[in-house]
Amino acid sequence: PPGFRTALLRLSPTCSSRPRAQRRHAAHFAFHPDPVPTKYGPTVKMNLFQSITSALDNTLASDPTAVIFGEDVAFGGVFRCTVGLRDKYGKDRVFNTPLCEQGIVGFGIGVAVAGATAIAEIQFADYIFPAFDQIVNEAAKYRYRSGNLYDCGNLTIRAPWGCVGHGSLYHSQSPEAYFAHCPGLKVVVPRGPVQAKGLLLSCIADENPCIFFEPKILYRAAVEQVPTEPYHLPLSQAEVVQEGSDVTLVAWGTQVHVMREVATMAQEKLGVSCEVIDLQTILPWDIETVCKSVVKTGRLLISHEAPVTGGFAAEISSSIQEQCFLNLEAPIARVCGYDTPFPHIFEPFYIPDKWKCFEAVKRMINY
Amino acid sequence: MAAVRRLQKWVGLGFHAFRQNSALNSVRALQRRAFRTQGALFQQPFDSSAEKPQFPGASAEFVDHLEFIQPNVISGIPIYRVMDRQGQIINPSEDPNLSKETVLNFYQKMTLLNTMDRILYESQRQGRISFYMTNYGEEGTHVGSAAALDPTDLVFGQYREAGVLMYRGFPLDLFMAQCYANADDLGKGRQMPVHYGCKDLNFVTISSPLATQIPQAAGAAYAVKRENANRAVICYFGEGAASEGDAHAGFNFSATLECPLIFFCRNNGYAISTPTNEQYRGDGIAARGPGYGMLSIRVDGNDVFAVYNATKEARRRAVAENQPFLIEAMTYRIGHHSTSDDSSAYRSVDEVNYWDKQDHPISRLRHYMTARDWWGEDEERAWRKQSRKLVMEAFERAERRLKPHPDLMFTDVYDQMTPGLEKQKEAMWRHVQQYKEHYPLDLYEK
């Protein structure tokens, strides 16, 4: 893991005073805040990293066994998600580990096996692979292989995820599909602060090991009103964020915001009504909500930042094709990252931006 | 609390300095070094006026000549021993003075395990179970260490520690149920044989991937420390597994996070066919401990009392001081690695015979008992007969028992069955009903 990590989010996306060649590409999405939630009590304006802190704060306050650990979490984390927690709850509950991802996850499994609540942080999703064995062979199979004598259901692994404009190969990855092939895990990605807090609290409370991917480009960019008290949003439940009748658009994380823009463009330029679905949980995923939508619209576009081959869109696509064959009026489209490593200077050409998605909608309509 | 701990460290340091003066030997030198590393928790405060080195990463003096530190592999960390090969106590002050009853229990647990090993090994040869791994030659490490623990101490193992379960009273029927994967198996027939686990006996279910349990044990020990319930965790692994990255992770985490944990390495000379000189070039595993700031010792694994003493003291201190200990028990893997291995392909029969006939933990303990008139030929004959009968009865019961209900293939993947899995289960049954003559349904519970 490199030393560049903390520098990643400091620069603003646009900087017009610089020479043209130095100018950064504009953000590829516009964050859409949710309506202010009313049913969970008072709200405060939070960005995504603050809503994570709020969820962790609620957890440490209510569960005396809960501990938070990882690389550099003690001083507040390189993305500020754990700021203040060590001072508030003590250094035996919020602490740094040695720099070793397989150790972090193995340690977290052990904490959970002993019955305590373990919230492990992997500094970037790109660095979760050293812990792949502990996650896939151990965490995911603990309950099954022991006949439910032992489990590590109290383990949650959080990791910053997704592209960030200039993260290149190892600060941009979206590894959810690697884990989607692993029975026993839950994999969750929120699209904004309200979902982040509610889904993270659900992951922590869930009796299964969960991986919670936080779109790091939203840590500061996404701001909305978030309830200060704890609340839970259900896992394995997709959310229809915008209803429509002609095409179903499925995405998760930042890409949901891209899809919302695509829906607006499709309406304005093509007169096409899009239904936008935030999948939220990758595994086990909510096939029912997607099916229901596709039965209605007859067309499906799935988009993710991760490479297309073996990406989770393939799973959605083939499942929907099996279940909704008679309703489909066009081939299911996948607009994803290319089958290359995530590039540095070519990021604007790499990502499945709104123009690529818009073009796919257009073709689908004209099929 | 921190102040108290700091005080303990200083007292400990003074004690070591004293011993250092009285007699210098390599063990003590290592202990002293280990203690210094612990001291790094309280690094010297930064002081720009001092002439000493001020680097934050280590606490050391400057030296004005070039000298690489040599590993000492020829004269390694000595092997702690309480009784010799004839069962004679060497140094009476180290004799744990266990009661006759306790020692007989040690002996019976070791020999019962040995009897079970022989019968299950044969049953695999006859194709009655699919796989087996014996414990020949390592029975002393299991029983000696298990006896030194509290029954509530959590055990993480590799796969060659069945004697720990045996010592804790795991019934023969459940050993057999697991190997036969029958309907009585606590693991519901999902894992290969010898992957035992028992919640009631605090023995965490075994898994095949090597060394994964090592950082897990550190995490469990950390949670146990926070519970403040006077418990420790023990983690067993072989010298081959110690080469895995997870071993490094577990050692380092347990030291920096101050976990009450005993790492127990069974160094039996081989990882399947790989001899230790292809596994490492340092002084075994024990020599790595001080590098992690961990108190370490090497014991004669064929000496059940040496294993007992070391584990007992490590446990006492691990709990009192919240720090990890490393015990490397030197043994010899007398049996094949597993039933899928023929060890004569890579080592001599003479070598194996030496350890089986001349330096075996069971025979050594028997010498000890015989010398005290606690055990004779008659007792031996009667116990052999009885233990064989116990094992054979359990074996036959296990073999007759049906396999678990096939529905159990789908449960426990998650705490609750997902709708997707529910559908797959129904699909399987629809298929199996249609093609039932092609599936072994009569072997399974209905």
Side-chain angles (χ1 to χ4, degrees):
Chain A
F4 303 119
R5 293 178 175 183
T6 49
L8 266 177
L9 288 179
R10 292 213 179 121
L11 297 164
S12 62
T14 54
C15 207
S16 55
S17 63
R18 295 188 185 188
R20 190 183 173 84
Q22 288 297 310
R23 204 173 59 213
R24 287 179 179 278
H25 193 68
H28 72 283
F29 67 96
F31 175 72
H32 294 74
D34 262 26
V36 179
T38 50
K39 56 179 171 175
Y40 307 117
T43 62
V44 165
K45 205 173 186 184
M46 295 184 202
N47 63 25
L48 195 135
F49 83 65
Q50 289 162 333
S51 80
I52 298 290
T53 314
S54 174
L56 298 175
D57 188 358
N58 292 154
T59 302
L60 290 169
S62 65
D63 177 356
T65 72
V67 289
I68 296 173
F69 51 90
E71 295 157 14
D72 306 299
V73 301
F75 85 114
V78 298
F79 287 113
R80 318 312 292 148
C81 292
T82 51
V83 167
L85 297 176
R86 183 186 180 88
D87 289 342
K88 192 166 173 186
Y89 295 101
K91 57 186 177 184
D92 66 319
R93 302 191 66 192
V94 182
F95 51 91
N96 291 339
T97 64
L99 204 165
C100 179
E101 286 77 11
Q102 64 200 90
I104 292 169
V105 174
F107 183 89
I109 293 170
V111 169
V113 166
T117 299
I119 305 165
E121 178 179 305
I122 297 296
Q123 206 161 64
F124 282 79
D126 310 63
Y127 305 124
I128 204 167
F129 300 112
F132 202 68
D133 183 44
Q134 285 284 354
I135 295 171
V136 172
N137 275 332
E138 294 291 316
K141 298 172 174 58
Y142 231 97
R143 188 190 298 277
Y144 187 77
R145 74 183 186 207
S146 70
N148 204 22
L149 295 179
Y150 290 94
D151 69 82
C152 59
N154 291 340
L155 170 67
T156 302
I157 303 165
R158 304 170 35 241
W161 168 97
C163 75
V164 68
H166 50 286
S168 181
L169 286 82
Y170 305 112
H171 302 84
S172 307
Q173 289 182 58
S174 305
E176 63 272 19
Y178 291 103
F179 298 102
H181 195 55
C182 183
L185 291 180
K186 295 194 173 180
V187 182
V188 178
V189 190
R191 72 169 183 277
V194 169
Q195 290 73 31
K197 179 170 176 179
L199 290 170
L200 179 55
L201 285 170
S202 293
C203 283
I204 293 167
D206 194 86
E207 291 296 319
N208 302 285
C210 296
I211 302 178
F212 189 76
F213 286 125
E214 300 162 4
K216 58 183 163 297
I217 203 168
L218 300 178
Y219 272 142
R220 287 164 193 271
V223 183
E224 62 191 359
Q225 290 289 324
V226 179
T228 53
E229 291 300 305
Y231 59 95
H232 293 90
L233 297 178
L235 304 184
S236 293
Q237 196 167 310
E239 185 186 341
V240 179
V241 295
Q242 181 180 321
E243 291 195 9
S245 55
D246 301 329
V247 183
T248 300
L249 309 179
V250 172
W252 49 92
T254 320
Q255 199 64 11
V256 174
H257 303 295
V258 175
M259 290 304 217
R260 285 179 121 155
E261 277 190 83
V262 172
T264 308
M265 287 160 71
Q267 187 67 59
E268 286 170 359
K269 296 181 197 287
L270 309 170
V272 167
S273 160
C274 293
E275 179 144 304
V276 179
I277 296 180
D278 178 2
L279 196 65
Q280 296 191 132
T281 302
I282 308 302
L283 186 75
W285 67 290
D286 180 5
I287 189 169
E288 211 172 302
T289 299
V290 180
C291 269
K292 212 172 122 193
S293 175
V294 174
V295 165
K296 176 174 73 177
T297 62
R299 292 178 184 84
L300 173 62
L301 183 153
I302 311 149
S303 180
H304 56 61
E305 289 175 14
V308 63
T309 301
F312 196 66
E315 176 60 35
I316 299 172
S317 170
S318 65
S319 300
I320 297 302
Q321 188 267 142
E322 275 174 17
Q323 307 249 324
C324 308
F325 187 71
L326 295 176
N327 304 89
L328 284 170
E329 291 169 28
I332 297 170
R334 292 183 288 161
V335 182
C336 305
Y338 300 114
D339 290 334
T340 69
F342 200 104
H344 183 216
I345 203 62
F346 310 119
E347 178 167 329
F349 303 100
Y350 177 85
I351 54 173
D353 62 14
K354 60 185 174 190
W355 301 106
K356 293 177 186 171
C357 294
F358 173 73
E359 173 61 16
V361 171
K362 205 157 90 179
R363 283 175 189 230
M364 226 191 275
I365 291 297
N366 296 328
Y367 185 82
Chain B
M1 173 114 169
V4 172
R5 202 174 295 155
R6 189 175 310 197
L7 190 67
Q8 286 173 342
K9 301 261 183 221
W10 279 112
V11 172
L13 199 61
F15 176 64
H16 275 270
F18 171 74
R19 295 201 358 172
Q20 200 63 35
N21 289 334
S22 60
L24 194 86
N25 65 35
S26 56
V27 181
R28 284 173 187 169
L30 266 164
Q31 281 178 343
R32 190 174 65 110
R33 191 167 285 179
F35 240 92
R36 279 193 173 168
T37 321
Q38 290 282 319
L41 284 171
F42 310 102
Q43 282 160 0
Q44 56 192 10
F46 175 73
D47 177 5
S48 60
S49 65
E51 268 308 297
K52 297 176 61 180
Q54 294 296 320
F55 305 108
S59 178
E61 298 297 328
F62 284 122
V63 62
D64 63 5
H65 56 277
L66 177 71
E67 186 188 354
F68 290 98
I69 303 296
Q70 283 265 31
N72 192 353
V73 278
I74 303 299
S75 172
I77 297 171
I79 302 165
Y80 171 67
R81 180 180 252 204
V82 171
M83 60 178 162
D84 64 19
R85 282 173 205 155
Q86 284 70 48
Q88 308 271 357
I89 299 291
I90 299 161
N91 176 355
S93 69
E94 297 290 322
D95 186 348
N97 289 313
L98 298 173
S99 69
K100 178 183 173 186
E101 193 188 19
T102 307
V103 174
L104 288 188
N105 184 37
F106 280 17
Y107 185 76
Q108 292 190 330
K109 291 288 158 62
M110 285 159 71
T111 46
L112 185 60
L113 173 64
N114 189 265
T115 305
M116 183 178 84
D117 274 351
R118 286 176 200 283
I119 287 169
L120 286 176
Y121 182 82
E122 286 309 318
S123 88
Q124 194 284 333
R125 299 281 96 167
Q126 297 163 10
R128 298 160 92 156
I129 60 174
S130 61
F131 178 78
Y132 195 69
M133 301 176 107
T134 63
N135 301 278
Y136 302 148
E138 300 181 49
E139 297 89 343
T141 61
H142 307 177
V143 167
S145 57
L149 298 171
D150 191 274
T152 61
D153 291 342
L154 195 58
V155 180
F156 285 80
Q158 180 165 305
Y159 48 61
R160 213 182 296 283
E161 296 92 7
V164 176
L165 267 176
M166 188 71 87
Y167 187 84
R168 287 193 170 187
F170 197 58
L172 284 171
D173 282 308
L174 290 180
F175 280 112
M176 303 285 174
Q178 200 283 328
C179 289
Y180 270 98
N182 69 26
D184 295 327
D185 175 20
L186 302 174
K188 304 180 187 169
R190 291 170 183 151
Q191 288 212 85
M192 282 173 75
V194 311
H195 291 55
Y196 308 114
C198 183
K199 185 83 176 170
D200 294 339
L201 299 177
N202 296 299
F203 190 98
V204 178
T205 302
I206 299 296
S207 74
S208 307
L210 287 181
T212 48
Q213 80 279 13
I214 298 176
Q216 292 172 13
Y222 189 87
V224 159
K225 173 175 82 167
R226 288 200 68 244
E227 279 174 8
N228 214 4
N230 197 28
R231 283 171 75 200
V233 174
I234 190 165
C235 177
Y236 296 89
F237 53 95
E239 90 287 350
S243 295
E244 292 280 4
D246 277 337
H248 165 65
F251 297 163
N252 199 24
F253 276 53
S254 61
T256 61
L257 298 170
E258 300 172 352
C259 302
L261 172 57
I262 302 162
F263 290 114
F264 193 106
C265 177
R266 297 174 294 96
N267 189 335
N268 63 20
Y270 290 91
I272 307 188
S273 73
T274 306
T276 53
N277 67 343
E278 293 168 19
Q279 199 63 249
Y280 52 71
R281 282 297 159 97
D283 175 24
I285 310 305
R288 295 178 197 170
Y292 291 99
M294 186 154 54
L295 278 90
S296 307
I297 194 169
R298 176 175 279 158
V299 303
D300 182 343
N302 297 342
D303 178 347
V304 72
F305 296 144
V307 173
Y308 174 84
N309 280 355
T311 312
K312 189 96 184 158
E313 178 64 0
R315 196 227 173 248
R316 184 187 70 76
R317 291 192 58 185
V319 173
E321 300 162 18
N322 283 326
Q323 61 166 327
F325 285 75
L326 173 61
I327 299 172
E328 182 184 27
M330 308 309 290
T331 59
Y332 186 83
R333 195 196 78 212
I334 292 173
H336 303 298
H337 163 71
S338 74
T339 49
S340 309
D341 170 53
D342 173 10
S343 70
S344 68
Y346 50 81
R347 61 182 187 179
S348 74
V349 176
D350 287 350
E351 182 184 313
V352 176
N353 277 339
Y354 166 80
W355 295 99
D356 196 21
K357 308 292 180 231
Q358 294 182 47
D359 193 0
H360 198 287
I362 292 179
S363 56
R364 202 189 296 193
L365 187 61
R366 197 175 151 197
H367 288 313
Y368 174 89
M369 290 155 61
T370 311
R372 271 154 196 72
D373 236 0
W374 292 352
W375 196 256
E377 277 302 321
D378 295 344
E379 284 91 344
E380 178 70 15
R381 216 172 300 120
W383 170 240
R384 279 195 184 202
K385 201 173 157 193
Q386 192 196 343
S387 59
R388 198 175 157 77
K389 183 163 174 276
L390 289 170
V391 173
M392 284 309 294
E393 284 172 359
F395 175 81
E396 280 159 16
R397 279 194 296 272
E399 200 164 53
R400 279 198 303 270
R401 192 85 170 81
L402 287 172
K403 307 297 178 201
H405 194 288
D407 274 1
L408 294 179
M409 181 165 73
F410 294 97
T411 58
D412 303 329
V413 179
Y414 295 94
D415 63 327
Q416 289 164 7
M417 203 183 296
T418 61
L421 275 174
E422 192 73 53
K423 278 189 189 136
Q424 291 178 14
K425 187 182 86 176
E426 285 160 15
M428 181 199 81
W429 280 119
R430 272 196 307 278
H431 171 80
V432 169
Q433 291 307 331
Q434 197 179 343
Y435 290 87
K436 41 170 138 359
E437 66 276 23
H438 302 295
Y439 293 90
L441 276 170
D442 51 336
L443 302 180
Y444 293 78
E445 285 208 318
K446 286 175 187 65

